[in-house]
Amino acid sequence: MGGNTQNPPPTGPTGGVDGDTISSGAGGVVFDRSKNGSGGSVGAVRPTTTWTPPACWYAPKYTPAQLQAHLEPIWEAGATGYEWDAEQRKMYVGGDPYKDFNKDKTGKGYFWDSYVNKSYPPGWDKCNEPPFWVDQGEAPPPEIENAITPEILAQLAYAEIRVPGTEVTLAPEGTTKVNLPTWAWLDAADFKPVSVTASVPAIGIQATTTAEPVSLKIEPGTADAETYPASGVCELNGDQIGEAYAKGKSDETPPCGVRYLRSSGDGSYKLQATVTWKIHWTGTGVNGEQPLPDGEFGADQDVIVQEIQAVNR
């Protein structure tokens, strides 16, 4: 029975929060979020493909004494049934394959067990191997799928990435006018690379996943509009996306923006601005940056579009 099916008693492994790190068990994953996006409007990136980070994985969890403190109260409660309890006692106490919880190897390795993505996505319950011993410095058994590696750490860090909100600045200021180009841009200071580092200190592996903004896609919220450029995708230009409007540019074509062809009437259009982030990782034993699927984060904002008032003759 894997660790996701039982709650460890208070005497078992402990978990805690300390600033930008979260630790769990004897050797759980620790996240350093100190270089992540911050602020009230940040959000998680959504992969642009069907790929998703692992729903569950195996990593060091118990010392011999901690596994004993975890399992013995379960056996004594009897809720799991005599046969299961007897099988477990044989496995961890009786020498098939571990004698007395492997206490003679204390300090020389860990029992590994399953960890689960805290949002419980589909597949969270697939890691159901019983706790197994791995000597310090040795690899887990090859038949164990999703045993923690730097690559899996990078994928777990991907899920912890937070990027700034995407409310674009529109100009000229005030209400947007029909047929007049509206400039759109994002504050360059907010759109810089962010990263999260995931590590398992108990076995000395780590990975850093970095997201860098590459483009902004504008969807006007109506078919009665044109975007600049025509694709609606504004590429990152140096350290900014789009270009800030300045007085005197009202007759110029914006490098990034929209032109509405019809009034929004008594309502508004829902302009959607979505930033694409290029994501890669580096980590223990890896030379150079390794790619991960691009991520997106976007939001709607209301745009009121009015007719230009004509002078009646």
Side-chain angles (χ1 to χ4, degrees):
M1 182 177 291
N4 57 31
T5 55
Q6 300 287 349
N7 290 320
T11 52
T14 58
V17 179
D18 179 16
D20 288 313
T21 67
I22 290 184
S23 59
S24 173
V29 177
V30 176
F31 294 103
D32 178 355
R33 302 181 181 85
S34 60
K35 296 179 181 176
N36 213 354
S38 59
S41 61
V42 298
V45 289
R46 181 182 68 250
T48 57
T49 67
T50 57
W51 175 87
T52 56
C56 66
W57 61 94
Y58 296 96
K61 200 167 200 176
Y62 303 109
T63 64
Q66 285 174 329
L67 184 63
Q68 180 179 11
H70 171 60
L71 288 179
E72 283 189 340
I74 297 172
W75 299 341
E76 287 166 11
T80 47
Y82 171 79
E83 286 188 9
W84 186 84
D85 291 350
E87 189 179 310
Q88 291 274 299
R89 288 179 192 273
K90 181 181 175 185
M91 184 183 300
Y92 294 110
V93 182
D96 187 16
Y98 309 112
K99 187 171 181 60
D100 192 21
F101 296 99
N102 246 16
K103 285 181 182 174
D104 61 328
K105 287 194 168 186
T106 296
K108 298 177 181 177
Y110 292 100
F111 281 102
W112 288 40
D113 200 4
S114 59
Y115 290 80
V116 175
N117 183 319
K118 58 184 177 289
S119 63
Y120 293 93
W124 70 267
D125 55 349
K126 298 298 185 190
C127 297
N128 50 21
E129 293 284 339
F132 54 91
W133 180 264
V134 179
D135 286 328
Q136 193 76 21
E138 295 295 319
E143 67 270 17
I144 300 291
E145 292 186 21
N146 275 19
I148 201 74
T149 60
E151 183 172 10
I152 288 179
L153 283 175
Q155 295 169 358
L156 297 176
Y158 186 116
E160 300 298 320
I161 289 282
R162 297 295 179 266
V163 296
T166 57
E167 183 169 352
V168 294
T169 305
L170 300 174
E173 289 182 25
T175 304
T176 301
K177 304 293 186 184
V178 169
N179 284 323
L180 284 185
T182 298
W183 295 54
W185 70 95
L186 288 165
D187 185 347
D190 291 338
F191 285 83
K192 54 183 184 291
V194 298
S195 66
V196 171
T197 297
S199 61
V200 182
I203 55 174
I205 62 172
Q206 62 84 31
T208 298
T209 298
T210 301
E212 301 179 64
V214 290
S215 62
L216 165 71
K217 184 175 184 180
I218 291 180
E219 296 170 272
T222 172
D224 292 315
E226 296 173 348
T227 55
Y228 305 100
S231 65
V233 177
C234 309
E235 302 292 339
L236 180 71
N237 179 20
D239 62 353
Q240 64 181 1
I241 298 178
E243 182 182 322
Y245 175 78
K247 286 186 178 178
K249 289 186 174 181
S250 58
D251 293 333
E252 296 182 23
T253 299
C256 183
V258 61
R259 182 166 72 100
Y260 286 97
L261 308 178
R262 183 174 296 183
S263 160
S264 58
D266 294 331
S268 60
Y269 294 126
K270 289 274 187 195
L271 179 143
Q272 185 170 49
T274 304
V275 172
T276 295
W277 296 77
K278 193 168 189 63
I279 302 180
H280 56 80
W281 70 278
T282 58
T284 304
V286 173
N287 293 321
E289 296 175 352
Q290 306 297 312
L292 284 166
D294 288 352
E296 292 180 334
F297 184 58
D300 293 339
Q301 60 195 83
D302 292 322
V303 179
I304 296 171
V305 181
Q306 293 181 345
E307 299 282 358
I308 299 173
Q309 298 300 312
V311 177
N312 292 322
R313 299 190 178 210

